[in-house]
Amino acid sequence: RIVAWADGVLDTDREVAWFAFAVGREVRKPMRVCIVNMFNHQTHHRGQIHAMLTAAGARPGDTDLTMMPEV
């Protein structure tokens, strides 16, 4: 669903503005940068989850895309 949403965004040059509490000011970035950041940030959190599962003794399955089953 996320990929379909990203594919449907037509105006990736438009600016998005928000108040970023982490830096205490308004931030403005092009939509395309925000979309790429969303996918990149998900990768960060998947790594955190994998590390926590491994530390807890779980054996997460293979996560290499080349080894994933075809869908």
Side-chain angles (χ1 to χ4, degrees):
R1 287 188 288 178
I2 293 172
V3 171
W5 169 81
D7 285 343
V9 177
L10 300 177
D11 185 6
T12 60
D13 288 330
R14 77 178 169 98
E15 261 194 355
V16 179
W18 69 94
F19 186 86
F21 288 95
V23 293
R25 63 181 170 81
E26 184 179 271
V27 177
R28 293 177 171 274
K29 298 288 179 183
M31 176 63 94
R32 66 181 175 278
V33 171
C34 296
I35 293 170
V36 170
N37 183 68
M38 181 180 65
F39 284 98
N40 184 60
H41 199 71
Q42 287 179 351
T43 303
H44 163 73
H45 285 295
R46 283 193 302 271
Q48 287 181 317
I49 298 288
H50 190 276
M52 287 187 276
L53 289 169
T54 302
R59 294 184 50 94
D62 201 339
T63 57
D64 290 328
L65 293 176
T66 57
M67 299 301 163
M68 300 297 281
E70 296 289 329
V71 289

